[in-house]
Each structure stands twice: as structure tokens, then as C-alpha cells.
Amino acid sequence: MSSDLEAPSEPFGLFDEWFALAKTKETNDPNAMALATVDAQALPNVRMVLMKEITPAGVVFYTNTESQKGNEIAQNPQAAVVFHWKSLQRQVRFRGPLARVSDAEADAYFVSRARDSRIGAWASQQSRPLEDRFALEKAVAREALRFGLGEVPRPPHWTGFRLTPLYIEFWQDKPFRLHERLVFRRESPETGFRTERLYP
């Protein structure tokens, strides 16, 4: 059985090809990815977030640093993400260390968000107990009043993280569960990737 998943010398061009196709096929959020971190007891947590940038430097997402994921990242700045495009029967996994994006990058992305989303970043005490929905609505109204018609700056507790991959796996569905798995590994961000195929 021949393979139709070719093995390029680097993984990012292949990801760009798959992602471009996903943007034409996926109904909602082709940039959605499951993000896994671990807590202080090494218990994993996973949730869906949106990828906002991907380059050879890594995969970027944004969050409140005082949230559960933010606290877990502070304790153990490593993570795994997976993109699953059901309509394409494909998925891509990334694993590696995390680092904050620069303030300039975070500011530039924050200002591109809808104004209501920027106000929400100030109003929401992400991951902490909420007495009722009305308390959140009051917090949003309070912050909207505070900023009025002026600019809404980025909160100091809101920023982005870049996952620099040491492991990337491309998975493609095949009949009879004889799927294709193509892996790129490297020892550090400074070294080159080596490739291998895995049994399904």
C-alpha cells in the first residue's frame, strides 16, 4: 500500500497546506485546538482554545494569566495541542515548551479584538467562582462605563503564549484503521527536525 502523505524536510509548510484546506472545509473555527496542561498534582487539564498565529517559531494562543490554564502554565510551562479537522479526517499534534509572547505582540493582537471582547477581558475573573450571571453582566457594565468611549488597553494579566514544538505529528485517516502517521521530532528549538512514520 503506497503512502500519499509525503514527508517534507520541515513540518510547517505541510501544516500550512492542511490548514488552508481546513479553512475551506470546516464550518466553524478551523483554528480551534485542544490545549493540554497539567496542574500542581500533575493531573492533566484540556480545553479548546483558538490558535492566533503559527510560524516556524511556534503556535500562539492568548489567555488570562490568572486563569486555571495561566496558573498551570506558570507552574509547568509545557503543553500539548491538537487540531482535529473532522471534515478532512485529519489531525495535527504539537508538544513543547511555552513562553510568553512580547508585550508588543500581545498589544497588537489585543487591539485587533472587538471592543466588547476587550472589555470582557477586564471584567472576567477567568476560572474563578461566579455567584450568578448577573454578577458578570454588572462587571462588564462597570468596565464599559470606566472606559467610556476611550481606548481599552490590554490588561496586565492578559497575554499570549507561544508553544515551540519539539514534536509534531500529522495523522490522516485511512480505510480499515490503517491510518498514516508522520512525526517530526527534535531535541531542542535550536536543532533540526528528524522524521519517522509510526504504525497506526
Side-chain angles (χ1 to χ4, degrees), residues 3 5-12 14 18 91-95 165-172 179-187 192-200:
S3 169
L5 179 52
E6 298 300 324
S9 59
E10 60 83 29
F12 298 101
L14 180 57
W18 283 25
Q91 62 182 355
V92 187
R93 299 167 56 203
F94 294 77
R95 300 173 68 208
L166 302 179
Y167 178 102
I168 304 175
E169 179 182 328
F170 293 84
W171 179 99
Q172 186 166 302
H179 311 308
E180 291 205 72
R181 297 175 67 186
L182 177 63
V183 170
F184 293 79
R185 303 177 195 265
R186 59 183 173 180
E187 301 304 319
F193 285 101
R194 63 184 190 277
T195 62
E196 64 181 346
R197 294 186 184 275
L198 302 181
Y199 277 94

Side-chain angles (χ1 to χ4, degrees), residues 52-53 55 57-58 60 62 99-112 154 158-162:
K52 290 302 180 180
E53 179 185 58
T55 69
V60 175
Y62 288 85
R100 287 193 185 211
V101 303
S102 69
D103 287 345
E105 288 175 282
D107 289 341
Y109 173 65
F110 189 76
V111 78
S112 75
R154 177 175 61 90
W158 192 97
T159 192
F161 290 92
R162 178 175 285 107

